[in-house]
Amino acid sequence: QSALTQPASVSGSPGQSITISCTGTSSDVGGFNYVSWYQQHPGKAPKLMIYGVSNRPSGISNRFSGSKSGNTASLTISGLQAEDEADYYCSSYTTRSTWVFGGGTKLTVL
Amino acid sequence: EVQLLESGGGLVQPGGSLRLSCAASGFIFSSYAMGWVRQAPGKGLEWVSGISGSGDSTYYADSVKGRFTISRDNSQSTLYLQMNSLRAEDTAVYYCAVRILGAHFDYWGQGTLVTVSS
């Protein structure tokens, strides 16, 4: 199972919006509405930010939003804040009853 | 409060074995599927294995199939990962995670480091 494709890095200034893409295939991202996004700060465990393509768990800011079109999912962070600087990973359930992650995107807040 | 606490990591020689444990609390352990996800040093996340709430169904990544075995003891609220025939490329922080809301990982442990080296 190949990893989902994410940009290696994105950056933005405080207050701006950024979007991270996540491209898979019809066997994973395109085949299910089971895309999730995780935030990971250095040395910390991943934290669930978005599930089911566009749902936010309790306690997650509405500045975080998710969407999907075909085989590509996206995470948008609006009103960038310094604490948003972290690595972000997408993930999808697959037709083989397994999970696949993206390679990760390093977000830098300028 | 959901808590997941991994243990059992350490240094092991290539070809050796190790068993990881994940002690869970704060939720009805037997009701939810669990999984293991690893992260090699400086690399991204890789799903390793999953198990249903009852333990009847198990799933593995191709990279570990035939070498790793996932299991759970619902009476002890503990998840396990038996790792055999370890290779250098298995070196990673291993996280356990619980699936509560659906096909994603709601909560994660802090991870345990496995180093395979001679």
Side-chain angles (χ1 to χ4, degrees), chain B residues 93-115:
Chain B
V93 173
Y94 285 72
Y95 296 100
C96 71
V98 60
R99 288 175 42 212
I100 292 181
L101 293 175
H104 53 270
F105 303 99
D106 298 79
Y107 298 97
W108 300 59
Q110 87 292 344
T112 187
L113 176 62
V114 172
T115 303

Short mmCIF file of all heavy atoms in Angstrom, two decimals, chain B residues 93-115:
data_model
loop_
_atom_site.label_atom_id
_atom_site.label_comp_id
_atom_site.label_asym_id
_atom_site.label_seq_id
_atom_site.Cartn_x
_atom_site.Cartn_y
_atom_site.Cartn_z
N VAL B 93 9.24 4.58 16.90
CA VAL B 93 8.36 4.77 18.06
C VAL B 93 7.04 4.10 17.69
O VAL B 93 6.49 4.36 16.62
CB VAL B 93 8.14 6.25 18.37
CG1 VAL B 93 7.08 6.41 19.47
CG2 VAL B 93 9.45 6.91 18.81
N TYR B 94 6.58 3.25 18.58
CA TYR B 94 5.33 2.53 18.35
C TYR B 94 4.23 3.14 19.23
O TYR B 94 4.38 3.20 20.46
CB TYR B 94 5.49 1.04 18.65
CG TYR B 94 6.26 0.31 17.57
CD1 TYR B 94 7.62 0.49 17.41
CD2 TYR B 94 5.60 -0.54 16.68
CE1 TYR B 94 8.33 -0.14 16.40
CE2 TYR B 94 6.29 -1.19 15.67
CZ TYR B 94 7.65 -0.98 15.54
OH TYR B 94 8.34 -1.62 14.53
N TYR B 95 3.17 3.59 18.60
CA TYR B 95 2.02 4.17 19.29
C TYR B 95 0.86 3.19 19.26
O TYR B 95 0.59 2.58 18.22
CB TYR B 95 1.56 5.44 18.61
CG TYR B 95 2.53 6.59 18.61
CD1 TYR B 95 3.30 6.88 17.47
CD2 TYR B 95 2.66 7.43 19.71
CE1 TYR B 95 4.18 7.96 17.45
CE2 TYR B 95 3.53 8.51 19.70
CZ TYR B 95 4.29 8.76 18.57
OH TYR B 95 5.14 9.83 18.56
N CYS B 96 0.14 3.08 20.37
CA CYS B 96 -1.15 2.41 20.32
C CYS B 96 -2.22 3.49 20.24
O CYS B 96 -2.02 4.63 20.69
CB CYS B 96 -1.38 1.48 21.52
SG CYS B 96 -1.67 2.30 23.09
N ALA B 97 -3.34 3.15 19.63
CA ALA B 97 -4.41 4.11 19.42
C ALA B 97 -5.75 3.39 19.46
O ALA B 97 -5.84 2.21 19.13
CB ALA B 97 -4.23 4.82 18.09
N VAL B 98 -6.77 4.11 19.86
CA VAL B 98 -8.11 3.54 19.96
C VAL B 98 -9.04 4.19 18.94
O VAL B 98 -8.94 5.39 18.67
CB VAL B 98 -8.69 3.71 21.38
CG1 VAL B 98 -8.77 5.17 21.78
CG2 VAL B 98 -10.06 3.03 21.51
N ARG B 99 -9.91 3.37 18.37
CA ARG B 99 -10.92 3.86 17.43
C ARG B 99 -12.27 3.88 18.14
O ARG B 99 -12.84 2.83 18.40
CB ARG B 99 -10.99 2.95 16.21
CG ARG B 99 -9.80 3.06 15.29
CD ARG B 99 -9.88 2.03 14.18
NE ARG B 99 -11.25 1.93 13.68
CZ ARG B 99 -11.78 0.80 13.20
NH1 ARG B 99 -11.07 -0.30 13.16
NH2 ARG B 99 -13.02 0.80 12.76
N ILE B 100 -12.76 5.07 18.45
CA ILE B 100 -14.02 5.19 19.19
C ILE B 100 -15.17 5.65 18.30
O ILE B 100 -16.25 5.08 18.33
CB ILE B 100 -13.84 6.14 20.40
CG1 ILE B 100 -12.91 5.48 21.42
CG2 ILE B 100 -15.19 6.49 21.02
CD1 ILE B 100 -12.66 6.30 22.66
N LEU B 101 -14.94 6.69 17.51
CA LEU B 101 -16.02 7.28 16.72
C LEU B 101 -16.21 6.62 15.36
O LEU B 101 -17.22 6.82 14.73
CB LEU B 101 -15.79 8.77 16.55
CG LEU B 101 -15.88 9.63 17.82
CD1 LEU B 101 -15.52 11.07 17.52
CD2 LEU B 101 -17.29 9.53 18.40
N GLY B 102 -15.20 5.92 14.86
CA GLY B 102 -15.32 5.33 13.53
C GLY B 102 -13.99 4.89 12.97
O GLY B 102 -13.13 4.40 13.70
N ALA B 103 -13.80 5.06 11.66
CA ALA B 103 -12.60 4.56 10.98
C ALA B 103 -11.45 5.54 11.06
O ALA B 103 -10.88 5.95 10.05
CB ALA B 103 -12.94 4.23 9.53
N HIS B 104 -11.09 5.92 12.29
CA HIS B 104 -9.95 6.80 12.51
C HIS B 104 -9.49 6.57 13.95
O HIS B 104 -10.10 5.82 14.69
CB HIS B 104 -10.36 8.26 12.30
CG HIS B 104 -11.56 8.64 13.10
ND1 HIS B 104 -12.85 8.51 12.62
CD2 HIS B 104 -11.67 9.11 14.36
CE1 HIS B 104 -13.69 8.88 13.56
NE2 HIS B 104 -13.01 9.26 14.62
N PHE B 105 -8.41 7.23 14.32
CA PHE B 105 -7.79 6.98 15.62
C PHE B 105 -8.02 8.18 16.53
O PHE B 105 -7.42 9.23 16.34
CB PHE B 105 -6.30 6.68 15.43
CG PHE B 105 -6.09 5.51 14.50
CD1 PHE B 105 -5.77 5.71 13.17
CD2 PHE B 105 -6.26 4.22 14.96
CE1 PHE B 105 -5.61 4.63 12.31
CE2 PHE B 105 -6.10 3.13 14.11
CZ PHE B 105 -5.78 3.33 12.78
N ASP B 106 -8.94 7.98 17.49
CA ASP B 106 -9.38 9.09 18.33
C ASP B 106 -8.35 9.52 19.36
O ASP B 106 -8.18 10.71 19.62
CB ASP B 106 -10.67 8.71 19.05
CG ASP B 106 -11.80 8.42 18.08
OD1 ASP B 106 -11.83 7.30 17.52
OD2 ASP B 106 -12.65 9.31 17.89
N TYR B 107 -7.71 8.55 19.99
CA TYR B 107 -6.74 8.85 21.05
C TYR B 107 -5.50 7.99 20.85
O TYR B 107 -5.59 6.85 20.41
CB TYR B 107 -7.34 8.58 22.44
CG TYR B 107 -8.53 9.44 22.76
CD1 TYR B 107 -9.82 8.96 22.58
CD2 TYR B 107 -8.36 10.74 23.26
CE1 TYR B 107 -10.93 9.75 22.87
CE2 TYR B 107 -9.46 11.53 23.55
CZ TYR B 107 -10.73 11.03 23.34
OH TYR B 107 -11.82 11.81 23.63
N TRP B 108 -4.35 8.59 21.22
CA TRP B 108 -3.08 7.92 21.04
C TRP B 108 -2.31 7.89 22.37
O TRP B 108 -2.43 8.80 23.18
CB TRP B 108 -2.22 8.67 20.02
CG TRP B 108 -2.82 8.79 18.65
CD1 TRP B 108 -4.02 9.38 18.31
CD2 TRP B 108 -2.25 8.33 17.44
NE1 TRP B 108 -4.22 9.31 16.95
CE2 TRP B 108 -3.15 8.68 16.39
CE3 TRP B 108 -1.05 7.69 17.11
CZ2 TRP B 108 -2.88 8.37 15.05
CZ3 TRP B 108 -0.79 7.38 15.79
CH2 TRP B 108 -1.70 7.73 14.77
N GLY B 109 -1.48 6.86 22.53
CA GLY B 109 -0.57 6.83 23.66
C GLY B 109 0.64 7.71 23.38
O GLY B 109 0.74 8.33 22.31
N GLN B 110 1.57 7.73 24.31
CA GLN B 110 2.75 8.59 24.16
C GLN B 110 3.86 7.91 23.36
O GLN B 110 4.82 8.55 22.95
CB GLN B 110 3.29 9.01 25.54
CG GLN B 110 4.28 8.06 26.18
CD GLN B 110 3.67 6.73 26.59
OE1 GLN B 110 2.45 6.59 26.69
NE2 GLN B 110 4.51 5.74 26.83
N GLY B 111 3.71 6.60 23.14
CA GLY B 111 4.66 5.87 22.30
C GLY B 111 5.77 5.20 23.10
O GLY B 111 6.12 5.62 24.20
N THR B 112 6.32 4.13 22.51
CA THR B 112 7.46 3.43 23.09
C THR B 112 8.46 3.16 21.96
O THR B 112 8.07 2.74 20.87
CB THR B 112 7.04 2.13 23.80
OG1 THR B 112 8.15 1.57 24.49
CG2 THR B 112 6.47 1.10 22.84
N LEU B 113 9.73 3.41 22.24
CA LEU B 113 10.76 3.32 21.20
C LEU B 113 11.33 1.92 21.11
O LEU B 113 11.75 1.34 22.11
CB LEU B 113 11.89 4.31 21.50
CG LEU B 113 13.09 4.27 20.56
CD1 LEU B 113 12.69 4.62 19.13
CD2 LEU B 113 14.18 5.22 21.07
N VAL B 114 11.33 1.39 19.91
CA VAL B 114 11.95 0.10 19.61
C VAL B 114 13.14 0.35 18.70
O VAL B 114 13.00 0.97 17.65
CB VAL B 114 10.96 -0.85 18.92
CG1 VAL B 114 11.66 -2.12 18.44
CG2 VAL B 114 9.80 -1.18 19.86
N THR B 115 14.31 -0.12 19.12
CA THR B 115 15.52 0.03 18.33
C THR B 115 16.07 -1.34 18.00
O THR B 115 16.35 -2.13 18.91
CB THR B 115 16.58 0.84 19.09
OG1 THR B 115 16.05 2.12 19.45
CG2 THR B 115 17.82 1.04 18.23
#
